[in-house]
Amino acid sequence: MVHHRQRLPLCLEAGDAQDALDVCDRYPDDALVATLFDRALALFMLGRHADAETALRTAMRLRPKVMPMLLASAPKPPRTEGDYLRVGGKEEAWLYREGHLALWEKSGALAWARGLRSRRP
């Protein structure tokens, strides 16, 4: 069985944003970075930009290091903090970037998010 955090990028890579959103909807209280940010990405890919903006702003509030890491032109990998991954830390943001940046770029969501970041809600 594929864990939902692994299924999300597979759905998005295949262009099945609705399936990715359905996965996110099955885990409404999930605080995993992938669930939070991939929900916004799936909504964007479905053309639901107002909903995507709401989801992205929520994700950015809960994990403020992720979007700056996604938007950085050439970030350096953070130092590992030992055997564990700190929730909300730079390493978590880096790992999300590594696995999802291409999806954000290919879909046009990265440029869209850059524009959102420059204006207040």
Side-chain angles (χ1 to χ4, degrees):
M1 183 173 178
V2 176
H3 190 278
H4 73 277
R5 73 177 166 178
Q6 296 165 321
R7 185 171 173 195
L8 286 171
L10 296 174
C11 293
L12 294 168
E13 285 171 13
D16 194 348
Q18 185 59 57
D19 193 30
L21 183 59
D22 291 344
V23 170
C24 292
D25 286 346
R26 277 186 287 240
Y27 303 94
D29 298 323
D30 191 346
L32 291 174
V33 167
T35 308
L36 293 168
F37 283 86
D38 286 353
R39 176 179 181 69
L41 179 56
L43 287 163
F44 175 84
M45 290 172 69
L46 290 167
R48 295 173 50 187
H49 295 173
D51 293 333
E53 179 175 351
T54 299
L56 184 58
R57 290 194 186 282
T58 297
M60 290 188 314
R61 182 176 43 79
L62 295 171
R63 293 294 194 285
K65 293 185 182 347
V66 174
M67 191 51 59
M69 187 69 77
L70 270 177
L71 294 174
S73 60
K76 294 181 181 173
R79 256 192 330 241
T80 183
E81 296 181 18
D83 294 336
Y84 301 98
L85 183 68
R86 180 180 299 190
V87 173
K90 288 182 181 179
E91 189 176 8
E92 180 188 50
W94 173 262
L95 292 173
Y96 182 78
R97 175 191 168 89
E98 287 289 291
H100 296 82
L101 179 62
L103 296 169
W104 282 80
E105 289 174 331
K106 181 181 174 185
S107 67
L110 193 64
W112 167 78
R114 185 173 283 116
L116 287 181
R117 227 174 141 232
S118 66
R119 54 178 237 260
R120 297 270 177 202

